[in-house]
Amino acid sequence: MGRGTTSDLQHHQLKFMIVLGIETSCDETAAAILKDETDLLSNIVSSQAVHSPYGGVVPELASRAHMQLLLPVIEEALKRADVTLSELDGIAVTRGPGLVGSLLVGLSTTKALAVSLEIPFIGVNHLEGHIFSNYLEHPTFNDPAVCLIISGGHTELYSIRDKGEYTFLGRTRDDAAGEAFDKVAKMLGLGYPGGPIIDALAQDGDPTYVHFPRALLTHDSLDFSFSGLKTAVLTYVEALHEGEIRENLAHIVSSFQAAVVDVLVEKSLRAVEHLGVRRILLAGGVAGNKALRKKFKEKTSNKDIEVFYPSPILCTDNAAMIAAAGSFRLKRGERSSLDVNAAPGMRLIAESQK
Ligand code: KG4
Ligand code: ZN
């Protein structure tokens, strides 16, 4: 009996060395091969160019593009990793949150592969994936931390007691931080996605040029709100002539960015103080923002607080992070069954745990 249990455990730990990650929740078609939870053998991300003229993601176009791109992207991930399909021990796929048609492309492809290869798969929460992108780069990290998830669809603060154990702290009441970047960029005719464009432009700007509102900063809660800021930028630019906007563009976007950054940094520091932890993890596309990283550094330099973030390629949507979160859960014995469905509104933790 005893022996059986030990060898079961060893078998368990030896398995899932090589996991294929698949991400199709929005407008990136991505596949990655991850060995032993942290050894990233390949990471292929194909960003769908079809949405650019629309200033945002068109769901129907996204699912169609995933259909065309996913198999070639998986093939490329295997090729770059020098791994064959038969060497895979498991598959991790994004189950939600995201666009239902896009999620279904990843999920049904995963089910077909898992059945034909006779290997297990797991549906992963996209937000947990973003958190795990930090563990990919800092494999030994296992401390209690505050995590700020800042993406195109989410702005949420969590306490992480242990890997995979979350407590909800706060979220945006309206627009997500990334959404605010995208909407302001669209308003100024800068293109999509707006975050990286504003990030680059703002480097030559004066962040104190216009004082835009910092919503909910005086408020006790750890919630956020960015729609008032977006309206304030709109009101400001509407009062200017085209030439004035062009001339001061870097200053305007830099001032907008500073307002977003100030609130994100301040609320995260409050959460850290409140919980008495010393670590902050940043996750999601906006975590790649240079001004944000700089501000965090400035504000924590004289405190015993460490801020962690993934490299930019792992901040925005990718399948490496899905493979990482999936490997962790597969190793713990978790599995999805073939009747698992896409979960477009999936939360990181159940509402009742909030
Ligand atoms: O995590 P992500 O790739 O996708 C979602 O899960 O939504 O995040 C995309 C969002 C977009 O809104 C994009 O404009 C924003 O992240 N973003 C940035 C930067 N890079 C991407 N925002 C600010 N600065 C950046 N450098
Ligand atoms: Zn994301």
Side-chain angles (χ1 to χ4, degrees):
M1 238 334 248
R3 235 187 121 207
T5 315
T6 314
S7 76
D8 277 356
L9 193 67
Q10 280 168 351
H11 179 68
H12 213 72
Q13 282 167 349
L14 284 173
K15 252 189 158 301
F16 308 117
M17 288 192 313
I18 301 185
V19 168
L20 164 67
I22 294 179
E23 155 63 37
T24 63
S25 68
C26 193
D27 59 339
E28 258 90 28
T29 313
I33 305 290
L34 184 66
K35 192 178 162 196
D36 294 337
E37 282 188 86
T38 51
D39 187 4
L40 189 56
L41 301 183
S42 66
N43 184 24
I44 309 296
V45 181
S46 172
S47 300
Q48 303 177 356
V50 286
H51 309 287
S52 190
Y54 303 95
V57 180
V58 184
E60 183 58 28
L61 294 181
S63 358
R64 252 193 260 178
H66 285 306
M67 293 283 285
Q68 286 161 354
L69 293 167
L70 185 54
L71 289 180
V73 163
I74 292 173
E75 267 172 22
E76 182 68 16
L78 288 164
K79 198 170 127 204
R80 292 260 186 106
D82 199 16
V83 163
T84 60
L85 277 174
S86 61
E87 288 174 284
L88 295 178
D89 295 304
I91 309 178
V93 61
T94 306
R95 196 185 152 213
L99 303 168
V100 66
S102 294
L103 291 166
L104 281 170
V105 177
L107 203 55
S108 37
T109 305
T110 298
K111 288 178 187 176
L113 279 172
V115 168
S116 63
L117 298 169
E118 295 181 24
I119 55 172
F121 77 98
I122 181 117
V124 170
N125 184 303
H126 181 83
L127 301 179
E128 182 163 55
H130 274 303
I131 295 173
F132 269 73
S133 58
N134 276 290
Y135 305 142
L136 270 177
E137 302 220 29
H138 311 287
T140 55
F141 188 97
N142 202 16
D143 301 332
V146 157
C147 181
L148 175 68
I149 303 177
I150 30 180
S151 68
H154 295 82
T155 298
E156 300 181 3
L157 264 176
Y158 289 92
S159 148
I160 307 181
R161 297 181 300 281
D162 204 349
K163 260 188 194 172
E165 310 261 322
Y166 313 107
T167 311
F168 174 82
L169 299 174
R171 68 156 54 96
T172 183
R173 297 182 180 178
D174 39 60
D175 293 349
E179 195 178 354
F181 273 95
D182 295 337
K183 286 180 176 173
V184 165
K186 187 176 183 183
M187 180 193 301
L188 293 166
L190 297 175
Y192 175 85
I197 301 169
I198 289 182
D199 188 347
L201 247 178
Q203 299 213 54
D204 304 319
D206 173 5
T208 64
Y209 185 74
V210 196
H211 185 81
F212 289 121
R214 272 87 170 142
L216 300 182
L217 213 47
T218 55
H219 204 276
D220 266 353
S221 83
L222 293 172
D223 282 349
F224 304 87
S225 166
F226 295 107
S227 77
L229 170 60
K230 170 195 65 191
T231 311
V233 177
L234 181 65
T235 310
Y236 181 83
V237 297
E238 272 180 352
L240 300 180
H241 297 296
E242 188 113 351
E244 289 173 306
I245 299 174
R246 292 292 140 226
E247 214 168 287
N248 298 305
L249 193 57
H251 299 323
I252 298 167
V253 294
S254 177
S255 301
F256 153 75
Q257 178 175 265
V260 177
V261 164
D262 278 358
V263 182
L264 293 175
V265 172
E266 181 60 33
K267 296 259 171 167
S268 305
L269 292 177
R270 272 188 214 169
V272 154
E273 232 159 74
H274 172 70
L275 292 165
V277 298
R278 313 254 45 104
R279 310 273 182 270
I280 300 176
L281 298 185
L282 306 181
V286 186
N289 186 269
K290 291 187 200 69
L292 179 79
R293 292 174 174 214
K294 195 165 152 226
K295 192 75 170 193
F296 263 116
K297 208 170 189 177
E298 256 171 53
K299 290 279 185 175
T300 54
S301 64
N302 58 352
K303 294 191 175 105
D304 179 26
I305 297 173
E306 268 185 287
V307 184
F308 295 84
Y309 40 75
S311 52
I313 179 74
L314 292 177
C315 283
T316 45
D317 287 350
N318 63 86
M321 68 186 199
I322 303 303
S327 296
F328 169 74
R329 299 217 164 264
L330 283 167
K331 260 197 166 170
R332 296 213 307 192
E334 295 179 34
R335 306 278 184 277
S336 291
S337 63
L338 281 175
D339 55 13
V340 69
N341 208 346
M346 195 176 187
R347 295 272 163 93
L348 184 60
I349 52 171
E351 279 290 295
S352 58
Q353 287 174 265
K354 277 210 302 184

